[in-house]
Amino acid sequence: MSAEIARPGFFRTAWLVTRKDLTVELRSREIVYTTLFFAVSCVLVFAFGFVKDGRPVDDVSAAILWIAIAFSGTLALGRTFERERASETLQALMLAPADRPAIYAGKLLGIVLLLGAVELVVVPLVALLFQAPYLARPLPLVALLVTGTLGFAAVGTLFAAMLVRARSRDVLLPVLLYPITIPVIIAGVRGTAALAEPDGAAIVRAWISMLVFFDVVFVTLALWTFEAVMTE
Amino acid sequence: MRRTFLPAVGAATVLFAAAPWVVARAPYEQTMGLVQKIFYFHVPSAMMMFVSAFACGIASAIFLFGRRPRADRLAVAAAELVAVFGIIVLVTGPLWARKAWGVWWQWDARLTSTLVLWMIFMAYLLLRRYGGPGSDRLGAGLALFGMANVPFVYWSVNVWRTLHPKTSVVMTLDPGMRPAFWLSVGAFALLYAALLAVRVRLEDGRATVEQLYLALDEHD
């Protein structure tokens, strides 16, 4: 080993990247406010389609919740990397003597925390507006939200990073992202809908384990491909 | 390539020419009657679609990690063929479904996962077409994810549907239908191989032209 400057380890690098993103975001709060308002608008628009005679259609609240998460997640992903592109900081980040997978992990954690903040408002709002008893089972609900958001963001962070330099990236991100994340959406919607059923505990567990499996496979795959895809 | 290409096209032509007779002579299915004949086109196309999806995914992985430009050309060709054979599957399927189930489309596990797979590869082609420079590597990443996603899509859609029971279609093949079916599979496999070879050849030619242009620019 030559006398190098000591490089921080994987988790330290990832945390530094996340902290940088959070610091930038906390100064303007641009992405979290706009994404949150967009998610609430989504819920409102869907409510007009799915409320009949003053009552929501069966199971529709779970679908609206996850569509709002997926749509606002796409927006947040696009905005986060657009910010990096506009100030050309992604290039600087790639030039930094840090492991590429650690950079990916840091960006992923930042997106998950951002979406978590949005969900903190949107989930109670949907439960309230559609009389859905999700909050009665907080633990499975949190497990579904965490695993679902992580799975969606794992694929989304990789694709959004890939598309930073691509033409028509705004439209390509959802086009690429939604077909791949369909298992996450199905598991999230069906798992959340099962929360409201009195004997749905086994179904909820099955969907959570599917989400965990999905997360493990796709985070591993993304860590593995991030370097190859981001090399110019 | 030309040595294997012409015999493949010739054999595919012979098989496709023979197919109408063989298919016509295969026994009628009792409940479906004539509509069941779609099966001889539908199933082989679906088989080729899945073969092509895996070919694209594997070629993309080789391109991404082994950096072989030829693997990328194979991946593009295979992705286009997923789209082509997918169209055949998605058009012949509803024709049969209208007679069998009374509706054009059912949100059945097999149908939904085929549609999702087809959409992933359409997204791949959109990315390759409109992504601009560097979209070959991005496409390879997407194809890799698309291939890894196939079991998840199938499993999740399967559970999603089986929570709500519905009539399922059991495929039990009458011995009299077997020759016609396997002849169709052979014909579609040869057609697939021939189309893939042509398409890769086109990409090869395009890459050569590009290289020549670059060399010309350097001379100026």
Side-chain angles (χ1 to χ4, degrees):
Chain A
M1 282 286 284
S2 57
E4 290 176 10
I5 303 163
R7 279 167 60 171
F10 181 90
F11 291 103
R12 175 109 187 101
T13 311
W15 172 241
L16 286 172
V17 172
T18 307
R19 210 181 62 182
K20 169 195 80 75
D21 278 3
L22 291 183
T23 311
V24 172
E25 177 56 33
L26 281 176
R27 288 205 180 124
S28 69
R29 290 185 284 276
E30 177 199 342
I31 296 178
V32 74
Y33 282 161
T34 49
T35 305
L36 184 60
F37 192 76
F38 178 75
V40 174
S41 313
C42 266
V43 171
L44 190 70
V45 168
F46 279 111
F48 290 123
F50 293 113
V51 175
K52 211 175 154 187
D53 302 331
R55 293 183 59 82
V57 182
D58 277 353
D59 277 5
V60 81
S61 54
I64 291 175
L65 174 66
W66 282 93
I67 292 171
I69 292 173
F71 280 14
S72 55
T74 316
L75 200 73
L77 284 163
R79 294 299 307 158
T80 304
F81 282 91
E82 182 62 28
R83 177 186 277 167
E84 293 270 18
R85 197 190 64 85
S87 52
E88 297 194 350
T89 44
L90 193 65
Q91 211 164 9
L93 206 55
M94 290 294 143
L95 286 170
D99 287 336
R100 292 280 167 83
I103 293 175
Y104 167 80
K107 295 298 283 183
L108 172 61
L109 185 62
I111 298 282
V112 169
L113 290 176
L114 189 73
L115 285 179
V118 171
E119 284 164 11
L120 225 52
V121 175
V122 172
V123 173
L125 187 73
V126 168
L128 199 82
L129 291 178
F130 296 94
Q131 297 104 42
Y134 305 141
L135 302 177
R137 290 190 193 169
L139 272 182
L141 175 68
V142 169
L144 275 170
L145 287 173
V146 169
T147 51
T149 309
L150 181 62
F152 182 80
V155 183
T157 305
L158 178 75
F159 285 4
M162 276 176 11
L163 287 169
V164 161
R165 285 184 303 270
R167 270 197 290 133
S168 46
R169 54 189 162 272
D170 300 334
V171 67
L172 280 175
L173 180 62
V175 162
L176 307 190
L177 190 54
Y178 294 154
I180 300 274
T181 50
I182 275 175
V184 174
I185 302 296
I186 293 177
V189 171
R190 294 328 310 169
T192 313
L195 279 177
E197 287 164 22
D199 50 353
I203 301 172
V204 175
R205 269 201 302 277
W207 285 121
I208 292 174
S209 50
M210 192 249 139
L211 282 172
V212 169
F213 194 45
F214 184 92
D215 290 356
V216 169
V217 171
F218 278 77
V219 169
T220 314
L221 206 57
L223 286 171
W224 189 47
T225 47
F226 187 72
E227 176 140 30
V229 169
M230 293 306 286
T231 311
E232 282 182 66
Chain B
M1 180 175 310
R2 196 169 274 174
R3 258 176 292 150
T4 52
F5 173 65
L6 281 176
V9 169
T13 313
V14 171
L15 286 180
F16 270 103
W21 277 280
V22 183
V23 169
R25 285 184 55 182
Y28 270 71
E29 209 264 337
Q30 279 183 352
T31 49
M32 300 303 302
L34 192 63
V35 181
Q36 184 268 337
K37 305 279 187 197
I38 286 173
F39 173 81
Y40 300 112
F41 288 84
H42 181 74
V43 180
S45 305
M47 284 175 166
M48 290 313 123
M49 180 187 173
F50 280 91
V51 165
S52 204
F54 276 94
C56 180
I58 292 165
S60 295
I62 293 171
F63 171 66
L64 207 54
F65 297 107
R67 313 213 157 213
R68 306 235 177 93
R70 195 111 207 270
D72 180 52
R73 290 175 226 147
L74 180 68
V76 177
E80 278 186 8
L81 289 175
V82 173
V84 171
F85 284 95
I87 289 268
I88 300 179
V89 174
L90 291 172
V91 169
T92 53
L95 291 178
W96 178 88
R98 183 76 181 85
K99 171 87 175 167
W101 302 328
V103 287
W104 295 104
W105 183 266
Q106 279 269 18
W107 289 99
D108 160 82
R110 237 172 256 222
L111 272 66
T112 313
S113 46
T114 306
L115 179 65
V116 171
L117 183 70
W118 186 76
M119 288 204 38
I120 289 174
F121 282 88
M122 288 306 284
Y124 174 93
L125 292 176
L126 285 174
L127 173 64
R128 294 304 298 258
R129 181 80 178 75
Y130 301 112
S135 56
D136 48 351
R137 307 193 68 75
L138 311 189
L142 175 67
L144 204 62
F145 270 68
M147 189 173 68
N149 209 23
V150 171
F152 284 103
V153 172
Y154 191 78
W155 192 83
S156 60
V157 172
N158 211 4
V159 176
W160 169 54
R161 283 311 299 179
T162 42
L163 290 174
H164 306 265
K166 60 170 279 297
T167 50
S168 59
V169 191
V170 185
M171 295 225 193
T172 41
L173 207 55
D174 184 272
M177 296 175 182
R178 273 175 205 161
F181 175 67
W182 288 111
L183 181 118
S184 305
V185 173
F188 270 94
L190 284 169
L191 178 70
Y192 173 73
L195 287 174
L196 190 68
V198 169
R199 194 62 188 78
V200 172
R201 215 172 116 82
L202 180 62
E203 283 299 312
D204 283 345
R206 194 175 283 172
T208 316
V209 170
E210 227 161 78
Q211 270 173 2
L212 288 175
Y213 269 119
L214 281 177
L216 209 62
D217 280 346
E218 275 168 21
H219 266 289
D220 289 342

